[in-house]
Amino acid sequence: MKQAIDKIQSEAEIAINASSNTRELTEVRVRFLGKNGEITAIMKNLGSVPKEEKPAMGKMLNEVRVAIEQMLESKEKTLAEAEKKARLLAEDIDVTLPSPKSEHLGTVHPLTIVKNEIIDIFLGFGFNVAEGPEIETDMFNFQLLNVPKDHPARDMQDTFYVNDNIVLRTHTSPMQARIMTSQQPPIRVVVPGKVYRSDDDASHSPIFHQVEGLAVGKDITLGDLQGVLTAFAEKLFAEDVKTRFRPSYFPFTEPSVEMDVSCTICHGKGCRVCKGTGWLEVLGAGVVNPVVLDMCGIDSKVYSGFAFGIGVERIAMLKYGVPNIKMFYENDLRFLKQFK
Amino acid sequence: MKAPISWLNEYVEIDVTAETLAKKLVGIGFEVEGIEYQNKTATKVVVCKINEIDKHPNADRLSVCKIDIGSKILQIVTNAKMTVGELVPVALDGAVLVTGQKINAGELRGVHSDGMFCGGEELGLTNDEYVGASNNDVLRLNGEYKLGANVFDEIGFNDVILDVSITANRPDCNSIFKLAKEVAVALKKNWNAPSFEYSTKGSSVYDLVKVEVKNQSLCPRYMAAGVKNIRIAQSPLIIKKRLRAVGIRPINNIVDITNYILIELGQPMHAFDKRELAGEAIVVRNAKENETIVSLDGKLNNLKEDMLVICDAVKPVAIAGIMGGENSGIKEDTKEVIFESARFARDSIRRTSKALNLRSDSSARFEKGVDFALQEYALNRALHLICELDAGDVVEGVIDVSVEFEKFREIFFTMKKISQILGFTVRKQSLVPILRRLGIEVKDNGKELVAIIPGDREDMCGVNDIAEEFIRVYGFGHIPPTLFAHSEMTKGGRGAKIEFIDKVENTLASLGLSQIVNYSFTTPKCYDLLKFPQDSKVREAISLLNPLGEAVSIMRTTMVHSMIETISFNISKFNKTGKLFEVGKVYLPEKLPLEDLPKEEETLCLGIYGDEDFFSLKSIIESLFNVLRIDIKLEKEQICYLHDGRSAKIFANGVEVGIMGELHPDVMENYDVSQRLYVAELSLEKLFSLEKTEILCAPISRYPAVQRDLAVVLDSNIVAGDLIDLISNSKIKCLSKCQVFDVFESEAIGEGKKSVALSFEFVSYDKTMTDEEINEAMKKILSLLQRKFKAKIR
């Protein structure tokens, strides 16, 4: 019997080593350890062994069974590992092939991106967002902003008229008047929107976008205007951008300023984009004219404020290096798809 | 405003370069839009003297000149007739002329020549810049010039002209003399006024003309002076050069004087030939209905009663402040002149000039506004120039018909208020000297400070103006930046509507669509292109009074037209496929012509083309509705510009919100598009009102869901949506999903019939469902379909 058991062990060892895949190994397992396997067969013969040898034989048989199982297990591990390796090798792909879905991404319009960026910055300063009508009364677009009929300041903006009293708004500023005639301070609001000027040449579009800003409250100063707008420029362009304020004129602000930022291309050294000046004009602003406050029903003796208007196209052209304002309205997918 | 630096220099010493001056002007609020160098194109042209002239050995018509350019003697071969001792301009080796011609030394018929003598044309000069420059010959220089020196510097054609943009609040600076005052402030220099002195020679202006002003609100001041024995001649070179530099053609001394004063002082003037004033009268009055006048430019103008005219005793002789009449001007034989120097109401000039479509330097200037002091300055200056040019004899007296006007204005203010506006402590010692340089004196009345504003600063009316005048000179850089240092905090936020729009835009972008932005105005032809019936409400669009063209003349009432055009454009650019969306407004008038502001409806337009179909568009809309938590339902509907069988109305929670479908082949033809395309237009206003923003977490069943399928045969005209609606509305127990997954027709099924396969999902939240329960539910569904649609199980 002992020889028989030894034989099984050595045969099992040979068979296991000879297995080249897990399927063959399973066959070996069945052959030796299965229900009708060789170990089971010998187990059945254990009855014919003399009684005194029985424990030793039993023990020996068990040890062989355990040894076979261990061999099987370790072989199985090796084989499984090899098979997994083989599978991975077989599943090798060319990672440089194109993915079919990458082109399917959509885009929001660059003007939307810039508009939202501007709005987000002012939300951080506690501003609200409001929108107003594009077809506007002469009253709100001009008169309440200190531009009476036939005033020379009307030449500053070429206006589209619907009739004598209704115009396409030439700026987002009428919302200043709409807000001030309907709310009391403190007011902090930005107003994004389309505006219209009857001006169509290489550098002008008859439609463009502005973001208007208005802050009215107690003790709001020109210093606040410069501080807020400088912080805005730093966030929009770069933390190290420089700002410069120059005197200007808008009928509804006094004093009025233009804000320049140091050229984002040459950092102030002078280049083609900034026409060698080192500065880029980015927005107009000013202290709300007390005349406007009073016309809108806000007591200029108690309250003061500042207002500003940002040209969205101008900022987008600077930020993205868009050479021509008309590109925003052509809607060529090859242009639009760049703004992911 | 064009300002030659040499002219400014007459009133203020300018000792900096043009570039520095431009920067300084920008710093105090005068944007310089351009710097023009009178001579920038011609180089290496110098003054030379002809020393010797010899015949050319090989050519009869040429001569060889030895010339002196100060440092050395050179040789020029020329075909011009020269005289020894003459001074002429010579272009040396390497020179470039105004014509672009390059000059090189070389041989001419075998004789060396160092360059070329120049005529006026080659140097960009005419008789107005240098006498003789218009002759078609080498320019002979008369006078003493430095040999070898740059010819332009020597003859004074080296001016630099600033193009200064004057803001609407500073009409006074549309003049050399007031701009010079600002230059003086910027450069911290003294400012000298021009001379207004003149002498008279007997008689009286009252003997020459009577002036009557009938409408003083449109003509608050009218001044007139007379000059006899007019001696019409050319103006001196300095006047001609200055006028040419600012783009005015010199004519004769009298006309030139009025133009000169327009630029120098900013006051338009008019010189009447006294012979043309019937009845020796000037009457300033409103035009009569049906009155006409032929203006200087030969145009017949039909006048209206609100227009102001200058008349003689009989007829209008000028449209006040805009243009003189045909015959009122100065002629070669004019003997007596009446100078007009008036103030006309700027809004009246503006309206009249617009209504007559007649513009002039004078009207442009009056529209901006002239101040009350200017009429007298201008008249005196004109008479001064008459004397200086010896152009006539000034008669005694000046007519002045004027309303009362303030010579100065007082603004009361405190240093505290100035500091409050600017945001830092401003000291009186820094404020007062700056205002003084600007011509504003400050007095202290013990309680407050009083600024005395001169009459020409009609823009200044309050303390904010004082703050501005100070800070624009003091410099904005001195203001410490603050972030709402003293005022209240506010909450801020986007607001629901704007958040909704952002969500729509971002969702559509994530679904693969690209946002477009189109013009809000469009062509009235779009309604025909889209086959809208003549009586369609959509055709009621707002028109612009002054559009840039018919193609952009109405405010759009649908966004589909511009979407199709955008797609057509992209197809033409070989963009083979595309998915686009636009968020914008349509403008819907309550009634036309417009009385109240129209409704501006926020609208979404979708357009897809290339490898797409109806259902790819539907799936985009469904996904969007899903994000907005709105139920969607489509109902077939014929829409004029869409494919009869592939168009639908879109309902959201039962409310009609838009339409979608494939473009009609006729419309494809109208737009010349060859590819099928799919469009949708939805009201964002309505979707916004239906959107559910709050999320309420629903329970998740612990028990497995059970799936069942069912295929039925029914009439082909029954739409799948009705089956789903019937089943969904029937409250089948535990039914959680019900979808159509296959529809087909075949011979086997029979004509007019179709097979519809449905899948169902059942979920219970409190137990595992038994087969019996599900069978029961399926039986109920089948019997519903049998009863309502005569469906048979397949």
Side-chain angles (χ1 to χ4, degrees):
Chain A
M1 178 133 207
K2 189 170 177 296
Q3 283 96 347
I5 294 171
D6 284 341
K7 190 172 166 247
I8 287 174
Q9 181 165 16
S10 62
E11 276 179 9
E13 196 171 344
I14 291 165
I16 288 168
N17 284 338
S19 301
S20 61
N21 57 46
T22 48
R23 190 177 42 78
E24 281 175 31
L25 197 67
T26 308
E27 281 166 16
V28 174
R29 179 186 292 274
V30 171
R31 177 179 154 201
F32 292 96
L33 300 180
K35 244 190 215 169
N36 303 310
E38 292 183 23
I39 293 282
T40 322
I42 284 213
M43 285 272 220
K44 282 176 187 158
N45 287 341
L46 208 57
S48 64
V49 174
K51 196 178 177 187
E52 61 278 9
E53 289 181 24
K54 244 185 205 163
M57 279 302 123
K59 190 172 173 236
M60 188 182 173
L61 199 59
N62 202 40
E63 280 170 0
V64 169
R65 195 176 54 80
V66 169
I68 293 173
E69 266 173 3
Q70 279 174 351
M71 279 190 290
L72 277 168
E73 209 170 292
S74 114
K75 181 69 178 180
E76 173 145 33
K77 227 181 189 171
T78 318
L79 285 177
E81 204 55 41
E83 281 172 16
K84 200 192 278 172
K85 259 199 184 137
R87 197 187 87 216
L88 292 180
L89 207 62
E91 289 175 0
D92 178 77
I93 55 162
D94 177 357
V95 297
T96 66
L97 285 175
S99 71
K101 285 192 175 161
S102 63
E103 276 303 301
H104 293 181
L105 267 178
T107 46
V108 293
H109 196 278
L111 295 176
T112 307
I113 300 174
V114 170
K115 175 192 79 179
N116 285 335
E117 233 174 286
I118 294 170
I119 289 174
D120 283 339
I121 294 170
F122 285 103
L123 288 179
F125 300 130
F127 280 66
N128 285 298
V129 186
E131 287 180 318
E134 293 169 19
I135 300 181
E136 188 51 285
T137 60
D138 189 273
M139 179 61 84
F140 279 112
N141 194 74
F142 290 122
Q143 296 172 48
L144 284 174
L145 296 171
N146 200 26
V147 186
K149 288 211 164 184
D150 297 308
H151 189 274
R154 293 210 176 195
D155 289 341
M156 292 165 76
Q157 302 172 351
D158 294 322
T159 311
F160 284 116
Y161 285 89
V162 172
N163 60 37
D164 274 354
N165 296 314
I166 299 180
V167 301
L168 301 193
R169 67 175 172 192
T170 54
H171 45 186
T172 37
S173 310
M175 270 303 277
Q176 284 190 37
R178 284 189 176 271
I179 289 163
M180 286 193 285
T181 48
S182 62
Q183 286 175 34
Q184 278 298 304
I187 294 167
R188 306 258 200 289
V189 66
V190 283
V191 184
K194 283 194 173 88
V195 301
Y196 302 84
R197 308 242 176 118
S198 62
D199 207 351
D200 196 9
D201 59 39
S203 57
H204 293 90
S205 165
I207 296 184
F208 57 101
H209 293 74
Q210 285 188 334
V211 176
E212 187 81 8
L214 175 70
V216 180
K218 284 180 183 153
D219 297 318
I220 291 182
T221 68
L222 186 56
D224 290 330
L225 177 156
Q226 295 192 184
V228 169
L229 293 179
T230 298
F232 161 72
E234 288 165 357
K235 282 178 160 281
L236 188 71
F237 293 109
E239 282 300 330
D240 61 350
V241 82
K242 300 269 177 300
T243 56
R244 157 178 104 165
F245 293 85
R246 289 182 285 114
S248 187
Y249 168 68
F250 307 105
F252 39 97
T253 53
E254 186 80 41
S256 303
V257 295
E258 296 273 357
M259 183 174 87
D260 298 340
V261 297
S262 50
C263 180
T264 51
I265 309 293
C266 64
H267 302 285
K269 285 187 209 81
C271 67
R272 199 176 50 81
V273 174
C274 60
K275 294 186 187 113
T277 64
W279 294 97
L280 299 167
E281 196 177 312
V282 292
L283 59 84
V287 172
V288 180
N289 195 327
V291 176
V292 172
L293 287 177
D294 289 332
M295 274 196 290
C296 291
I298 290 179
D299 187 352
S300 66
K301 287 191 199 71
V302 183
Y303 297 106
S304 56
F306 67 79
F308 54 87
I310 304 165
V312 180
E313 277 82 351
R314 167 103 182 125
I315 304 279
M317 287 169 86
L318 290 175
K319 275 189 81 104
Y320 300 133
V322 177
N324 183 341
I325 190 168
K326 298 287 164 68
M327 292 178 85
F328 294 115
Y329 297 94
E330 271 179 4
N331 299 310
D332 190 324
L333 275 162
R334 293 167 297 176
F335 171 73
L336 298 175
K337 288 274 187 184
Q338 295 178 40
F339 299 94
K340 293 211 162 106
Chain B
M1 153 110 198
K2 290 206 174 198
I5 289 185
S6 69
W7 203 343
L8 290 169
N9 203 44
E10 193 167 322
Y11 308 117
V12 56
E13 183 204 345
I14 296 170
D15 55 1
V16 295
T17 63
E19 285 77 9
T20 306
L21 177 59
K23 268 188 199 155
K24 295 262 185 191
L25 280 172
V26 169
I28 62 165
F30 294 88
E31 209 162 329
V32 176
E33 290 180 336
I35 301 175
E36 180 198 327
Y37 295 82
Q38 252 185 345
N39 170 51
K40 203 163 198 181
T41 43
T43 57
K44 288 192 84 174
V45 182
V46 302
V47 178
C48 73
K49 187 171 152 195
I50 314 287
N51 274 1
E52 288 174 40
I53 304 170
D54 291 313
K55 288 209 147 171
H56 192 288
N58 309 322
D60 289 346
R61 292 194 173 176
L62 299 181
S63 52
V64 181
C65 304
K66 289 271 185 310
I67 60 160
D68 184 357
I69 59 161
S71 55
K72 53 186 161 187
I73 306 294
L74 298 173
Q75 175 173 298
I76 301 289
V77 178
T78 182
N79 62 356
K81 298 251 173 305
M82 307 306 290
T83 312
V84 171
E86 275 180 331
L87 297 182
V88 294
V90 60
L92 301 178
D93 184 36
V96 180
L97 303 179
V98 172
T99 50
Q101 191 186 353
K102 290 193 179 102
I103 304 299
N104 292 311
E107 289 204 345
L108 260 171
R109 304 288 293 270
V111 177
H112 178 81
S113 179
D114 284 305
M116 188 183 93
F117 296 133
C118 298
E121 195 186 345
E122 286 145 334
L123 305 178
L125 302 172
T126 67
N127 278 348
D128 294 333
E129 284 87 30
Y130 200 90
V131 175
S134 296
N135 301 348
N136 193 13
D137 189 11
V138 170
L139 177 62
R140 320 286 157 148
L141 302 172
N142 297 308
E144 285 188 19
Y145 298 106
K146 192 167 165 245
L147 298 186
N150 180 309
V151 70
F152 298 103
D153 290 344
E154 288 298 299
I155 66 169
F157 188 70
N158 56 354
D159 214 345
V160 184
I161 298 149
L162 301 182
D163 188 358
V164 186
S165 155
I166 307 292
T167 52
N169 58 328
R170 293 302 306 274
D172 56 314
C173 287
N174 287 297
S175 65
I176 298 292
F177 105 123
K178 288 292 169 59
L179 195 60
K181 203 169 181 178
E182 295 291 330
V183 170
V185 171
L187 300 180
K188 296 199 173 109
K189 297 274 183 186
N190 292 324
W191 174 71
N192 319 303
S195 174
F196 299 102
E197 311 272 301
Y198 63 91
S199 56
T200 55
K201 276 193 185 160
S203 80
S204 163
V205 69
Y206 298 99
D207 298 334
L208 288 182
V209 71
K210 296 180 289 293
V211 172
E212 186 186 359
V213 179
K214 288 195 166 167
N215 186 339
Q216 280 203 306
S217 63
L218 296 190
C219 175
R221 191 174 198 189
Y222 196 100
M223 293 185 74
V227 181
K228 282 176 131 174
N229 305 323
I230 291 292
R231 296 178 278 281
I232 298 284
Q234 294 271 300
S235 295
L237 210 52
I238 185 159
I239 287 187
K240 291 209 275 188
K241 270 164 70 176
R242 284 180 176 174
L243 290 178
R244 291 261 306 178
V246 298
I248 294 176
R249 194 166 53 90
I251 295 175
N252 60 45
N253 48 4
I254 303 298
V255 176
D256 291 354
I257 284 174
T258 60
N259 284 331
Y260 191 82
I261 284 170
L262 174 69
I263 302 301
E264 187 185 51
L265 305 184
Q267 169 70 49
M269 291 182 70
H270 196 74
F272 290 102
D273 185 331
K274 206 209 109 187
R275 288 175 304 183
E276 304 293 337
L277 294 175
E280 301 186 334
I282 287 176
V283 182
V284 185
R285 61 159 169 85
N286 287 58
K288 292 170 186 158
E289 198 66 46
N290 299 326
E291 208 162 25
T292 60
I293 180 172
V294 178
S295 44
L296 265 176
D297 59 357
K299 185 174 167 251
L300 176 73
N301 300 281
N302 296 308
L303 303 172
K304 296 228 167 55
E305 278 173 332
D306 65 343
M307 296 173 176
L308 195 70
V309 284
I310 313 296
C311 302
D312 58 19
V314 181
K315 58 183 189 300
V317 292
I319 306 163
I322 299 174
M323 202 174 277
E326 204 173 22
N327 290 317
S328 70
I330 300 307
K331 296 163 202 74
E332 283 304 309
D333 61 349
T334 296
K335 284 282 167 274
E336 289 172 323
V337 160
I338 307 296
F339 278 118
E340 164 199 286
S341 180
R343 174 172 176 151
F344 300 112
R346 65 183 183 194
D347 49 347
S348 155
I349 297 283
R350 201 183 148 89
R351 272 196 305 270
T352 304
S353 154
K354 222 183 212 174
L356 297 176
N357 194 18
L358 197 62
R359 285 182 66 81
S360 63
D361 289 342
S362 165
S363 70
R365 188 64 196 79
F366 275 124
E367 279 183 26
K368 295 179 176 117
V370 293
D371 64 80
F372 272 112
L374 217 42
Q375 292 78 49
E376 193 173 346
Y377 281 139
L379 204 57
N380 292 344
R381 181 74 173 155
L383 299 178
H384 168 84
L385 290 174
I386 288 283
C387 295
E388 196 177 279
L389 271 53
D390 192 30
D393 301 330
V394 180
V395 303
E396 294 276 355
V398 162
I399 295 170
D400 186 358
V401 185
S402 176
V403 298
E404 293 259 335
F405 59 87
E406 53 180 10
K407 298 226 163 46
F408 58 86
R409 194 176 316 123
E410 292 182 331
I411 295 177
F412 298 88
F413 69 101
T414 60
M415 290 316 297
K416 188 171 163 230
K417 186 68 194 171
I418 299 282
S419 305
Q420 269 174 357
I421 293 167
L422 298 178
F424 72 109
T425 308
V426 179
R427 305 205 173 282
K428 202 174 144 188
Q429 310 79 290
S430 24
L431 180 97
V432 172
I434 284 178
L435 291 186
R436 182 169 297 139
R437 273 158 63 196
L438 289 163
I440 301 164
E441 288 300 325
V442 177
K443 287 184 201 153
D444 194 337
N445 69 8
K447 256 186 15 219
E448 302 168 292
L449 298 171
V450 190
I452 315 295
I453 312 296
D456 59 357
R457 291 302 305 273
E458 293 184 5
D459 60 305
M460 293 190 66
C461 49
V463 58
N464 283 55
D465 299 291
I466 304 279
E468 178 172 66
E469 286 304 291
F470 163 70
I471 198 67
R472 81 179 168 95
V473 177
Y474 190 67
F476 291 89
H478 289 100
I479 302 178
T482 48
L483 291 175
F484 296 119
H486 313 286
S487 52
E488 318 86 326
M489 292 294 291
T490 43
K491 277 185 289 198
R494 271 200 156 77
K497 174 87 173 283
I498 290 162
E499 276 173 3
F500 164 78
I501 301 273
D502 287 354
K503 195 176 188 178
V504 169
E505 289 171 344
N506 292 331
T507 303
L508 290 170
S510 71
L511 289 169
L513 284 80
S514 288
Q515 187 178 24
I516 61 172
V517 178
N518 275 312
Y519 283 2
S520 322
F521 23 61
T522 187
T523 168
K525 287 186 185 136
C526 73
Y527 302 113
D528 292 337
L529 294 175
L530 292 171
K531 302 209 307 174
F532 276 101
Q534 285 308 319
D535 60 350
S536 168
K537 183 106 177 118
V538 178
R539 285 183 181 260
E540 284 169 26
I542 298 159
S543 315
L544 300 181
L545 283 183
N546 56 336
L548 289 173
E550 205 214 5
V552 284
S553 62
I554 59 162
M555 300 304 286
R556 62 183 177 182
T557 56
T558 170
M559 281 161 54
V560 171
H561 167 74
S562 34
M563 177 57 81
I564 299 173
E565 293 221 301
T566 303
I567 290 178
S568 165
F569 170 78
N570 272 289
I571 293 173
S572 77
K573 295 286 168 194
F574 307 106
N575 296 319
K576 284 187 196 141
T577 63
K579 295 196 270 187
L580 305 171
F581 76 96
E582 180 173 10
V583 169
K585 284 172 166 183
V586 293
Y587 307 84
L588 310 173
E590 195 76 11
K591 69 175 192 182
L592 289 173
L594 205 61
E595 283 172 13
D596 299 316
L597 292 186
K599 189 172 166 206
E600 297 183 9
E601 181 148 321
E602 205 82 53
T603 303
L604 172 65
C605 191
L606 306 171
I608 62 175
Y609 70 98
D611 203 19
E612 304 287 350
D613 63 19
F614 183 93
F615 292 100
S616 27
L617 181 59
K618 184 178 173 184
S619 108
I620 291 165
I621 298 172
E622 278 176 340
S623 303
L624 174 65
F625 278 43
N626 203 356
V627 170
L628 303 175
R629 294 187 194 84
I630 300 175
D631 288 337
I632 182 171
K633 206 184 136 187
L634 295 193
E635 246 175 48
K636 210 156 170 188
E637 171 87 18
Q638 295 217 349
I639 289 143
C640 57
Y641 54 85
L642 295 180
H643 187 304
D644 296 348
R646 297 180 177 182
S647 56
K649 273 189 184 167
I650 304 165
F651 290 85
N653 296 349
V655 179
E656 187 188 329
V657 293
I659 51 101
M660 66 165 291
E662 183 179 321
L663 206 62
H664 195 286
D666 290 349
V667 179
M668 285 171 68
E669 251 170 56
N670 290 347
Y671 284 90
D672 202 18
V673 284
S674 48
Q675 289 193 46
R676 287 175 189 256
L677 54 97
Y678 303 86
V679 292
E681 193 172 40
L682 296 116
S683 161
L684 286 175
E685 308 282 349
K686 287 182 185 157
L687 290 181
F688 173 59
S689 67
L690 296 168
E691 184 204 14
K692 280 203 255 329
T693 47
E694 71 284 1
I695 298 179
L696 230 129
C697 183
I700 296 168
S701 176
R702 295 161 58 210
Y703 306 96
V706 181
Q707 320 282 342
R708 284 291 167 90
D709 293 345
L710 173 68
V712 289
V713 172
L714 31 68
D715 287 348
S716 320
N717 60 2
I718 295 167
V719 298
D722 288 351
L723 305 189
I724 304 291
D725 282 354
L726 174 71
I727 297 163
S728 310
N729 295 336
S730 301
K731 298 202 176 88
I732 307 285
K733 200 176 159 204
C734 296
L735 180 66
S736 56
K737 256 187 218 161
C738 164
Q739 282 170 329
V740 172
F741 71 91
D742 190 29
V743 179
F744 72 93
E745 295 178 15
S746 75
E747 268 180 48
I749 293 166
E751 202 170 315
K753 298 276 179 192
K754 67 179 171 187
S755 159
V756 178
L758 300 135
S759 75
F760 303 93
E761 187 190 84
F762 296 91
V763 176
S764 163
Y765 288 85
D766 43 39
K767 62 180 173 102
T768 304
M769 295 180 75
T770 63
D771 265 357
E772 290 75 47
E773 285 170 310
I774 291 164
N775 290 342
E776 190 58 37
M778 290 300 294
K779 238 163 97 184
K780 211 168 156 187
I781 290 171
L782 183 60
S783 78
L784 271 171
L785 296 176
Q786 282 167 340
R787 250 189 293 139
K788 183 91 183 181
F789 297 114
K790 302 201 171 65
K792 293 200 176 74
I793 191 153
R794 192 164 66 86

